Amino acid sequence: MSAAKKVLVVDDEPLLRELVVEVLREEGYAVVAASEGRAMLDLLAVERPDLILMDVMMPGLDGRAAYLAMRSRDDLPPIPVVMMSAAVTPDRLDPSIAAFLRKPFDLDQLLDTVAMLIAPSDSAS
Amino acid sequence: MANDRVASALPRLATGVPGLDVVLGGGLVAGRTIVVAGPPGTGKTTLGNQMAFAHGAAGGASVVGTLIAEPHDLMLADLRGFSFFDPALVGNRVQHLSLLAALEGGGLDGVIAAVRQIVRDGDVSLLIVDGTSVVEDLAPSAFDLQRFAQRLQAQAALLGCTTVLLTGHGPEDLPRFGAQVDGVIALVNERSDARRLRQLEVLKLRGARHLSGVHEFEIGDDGLAVHPRLEAVVGNRRPQQDPGQGLGTGVVGLDGMLGGGLMPLSSTLLMGTPGAGKTLLGLSFLTEGARRGERGLMVGFHEMAPDLASTAAGVGLDLGDHIAAGLVRVLWEAPLEVSPDAWAWRLLAAVEEHRPNRVFLDALTDIQRIIASPVRSPTFTTALANELRALGATTLIAAEIDTLADDRLPIPVPAASATMDNGILLRQIELRSEVRRLVSVLKARQAEHDPAIREFVIGSGGIVVAEPFARASSGLLTGRAAPQEPPGAVQGP
């Protein structure tokens, strides 16, 4: 049996973060989470997610800066990143991001976007 | 009807409760979480199930999740008496599921997880949680309760499931819970004299422009029906009057006093003592319109259509023929335990359907009696008069002066009188052992009216306005007439 695909959820809003984590786990994904960009970069030292869901506007290191910092690291493989925001439009984001979710998004949008980029496990892909 | 008068840009979900969507500014905001709070007996469970069945009937999937010990079969048995209950929807588009085991086994987080599973498994778009007060009582701390509400709200938004929490705690307890959710509706059932008055108030509704203040509701065979407070919905439009030909009242002399009849789309307050001839004049106004092919609506609280036709026939008015022909309609309601707003919406619905050119309301005094708060009368009357005008009606509104004689002239609904275009006073006076009827025009906006006080004679041949009444020198308007002494009379010792 193949290992579950891993998703890293980065959002400073704890309620949404926890909820997305729980829902993705129920869908069969392995999930880790961070509350802002710096914590995400630290986590990438020990975790290798298959996909990152990241909020744009966060205290500390925001999503755009964290994305650029991640891309500049040679030790990381290319990881698709889905940016999420209620205020920032996708045209103001780096064009190399994998996808954009406008908040508030519903569950179907979230799961469809994740499934489009990765499947819960290799066996499902 | 009141629907569609208030709009909002956010997606809405119809409640299926007449009048409630108007109060909510278009319905529940889809994907949001609201609390319905009210003590036992205020109608929460009926409201929640009515919403669920309406949503199911419209093709949506709804779940009534209960945190109360009452068995579902008993609840369903209680609901069978309502017209919204459809057995074909039960267990299909409308499911009743207990959340009690989830609460007992997993606490507040257990309820959240159970709700998520139910909503995802059934693709549920409306969730009603009955008995939320149990959660409030069992929450280890206020912080846990707030967190529960926030998580439930965030989850409802993510799942796209509109969520309604029914709690038995009254509005005074809402700061514990209500601050965390998107909306709060309070229900009360208070005694007003000998009867109970059900009222609803939207205390908060994020993302929507709702009608503020208190609105009455009733629970009948069809479930809840909310009657939005009239003046909160209508009355702000007042179309330009047509300065054309005045509408005849059927009393030629009175038309002359008014400077050519009643201006189209005007509102006229017809004041008078009991028996002074208000109803007859109103029937004459309708009959005259019907004679000219104009539709009329008689709105009354006392005489029904056959009696009105008979009364009119007594002074030579063929109102009965026009009623039979459908040109004049009669809207009758006993002035007993009637909600003034319910009555007003029925009236406006009748006007929108029949589109009368002339409306005679007999009498405003009866409406004042059923309005619980006297301070409402002026704004209520103004809103009603303005809306009738906006709907294209020229309106005559009778109002009773209940004192036959006084030192001053009592004006019923003084504040509302200011919004009326015309004021006509019918009065009976006692003079030299005789009761005489008089008519005077107190006000005629945009017309030069006759200031004289004239005799108003009602006979089998009709109503006639006679010459200025010269048999008394003063006190005619107040009913305390003083005889005019003949020229050269000598004052007594």
Side-chain angles (χ1 to χ4, degrees), chain A residues 13 15-16 18-20 22-24 26-27 104-108 110-111, chain B residues 112-113 116-117 120 123 147 150-160:
Chain A
E13 194 180 330
L15 288 173
L16 183 64
E18 290 170 17
L19 198 55
V20 170
E22 288 174 20
V23 167
L24 289 175
E26 288 169 1
E27 288 294 306
F105 48 79
D106 64 31
L107 191 59
D108 290 340
L110 173 72
L111 295 180
Chain B
I112 297 277
R116 186 166 63 245
Q117 186 179 351
R120 294 193 65 192
D123 200 15
R147 189 170 176 278
Q150 288 171 335
R151 291 197 70 200
L152 200 58
Q153 180 187 31
Q155 179 171 283
L158 185 67
L159 297 174

Side-chain angles (χ1 to χ4, degrees), chain B residues 383-425:
Chain B
L384 185 61
N386 283 353
E387 187 63 8
L388 288 171
R389 175 202 295 252
L391 291 172
T394 302
T395 308
L396 191 59
I397 302 176
E400 191 167 293
I401 296 173
D402 57 6
T403 50
L404 286 171
D406 204 341
D407 292 332
R408 60 185 179 81
L409 175 63
I411 303 290
V413 210
S417 304
T419 69
M420 299 291 169
D421 299 295
N422 311 307
I424 300 172
L425 176 66

Side-chain angles (χ1 to χ4, degrees), chain B residues 25-203:
Chain B
L28 297 171
V29 182
R32 299 292 180 93
T33 301
I34 69 160
V35 168
V36 175
T42 47
K44 299 182 300 298
T45 297
T46 305
L47 173 64
N49 278 279
Q50 189 172 348
M51 289 179 181
F53 276 94
H55 189 63
S62 53
V63 163
V64 179
T66 57
L67 285 160
I68 50 179
E70 182 184 5
H72 287 153
D73 54 348
L74 285 182
M75 179 194 284
L76 292 173
D78 292 341
L79 294 171
R80 283 181 192 279
F82 292 110
S83 63
F84 63 74
F85 182 86
D86 181 354
L89 294 175
V90 177
N92 179 18
R93 310 299 295 180
V94 180
Q95 294 194 62
H96 289 76
L97 302 170
S98 175
L99 296 170
L100 209 51
L103 178 65
E104 290 169 347
L108 302 188
D109 286 347
V111 173
I112 297 277
V115 164
R116 186 166 63 245
Q117 186 179 351
I118 289 168
V119 170
R120 294 193 65 192
D121 289 352
D123 200 15
V124 174
S125 41
L126 177 63
L127 172 69
I128 311 291
V129 181
D130 198 357
T132 310
S133 44
V134 173
V135 173
E136 297 175 62
D137 294 338
L138 291 180
S141 69
F143 176 79
D144 290 306
L145 183 60
Q146 289 172 6
R147 189 170 176 278
F148 169 78
Q150 288 171 335
R151 291 197 70 200
L152 200 58
Q153 180 187 31
Q155 179 171 283
L158 185 67
L159 297 174
C161 178
T162 309
T163 302
V164 180
L165 309 175
L166 310 178
T167 173
H169 289 300
E172 64 280 1
D173 288 327
L174 285 176
R176 299 198 302 154
F177 199 69
Q180 316 304 325
V181 294
D182 296 303
V184 176
I185 299 175
L187 305 182
V188 295
N189 182 14
E190 291 180 339
R191 248 179 74 174
S192 173
D193 296 325
R195 69 179 180 131
R196 287 256 167 200
L197 201 60
R198 295 185 187 274
Q199 293 180 322
L200 171 152
E201 182 174 12
V202 178
L203 300 177

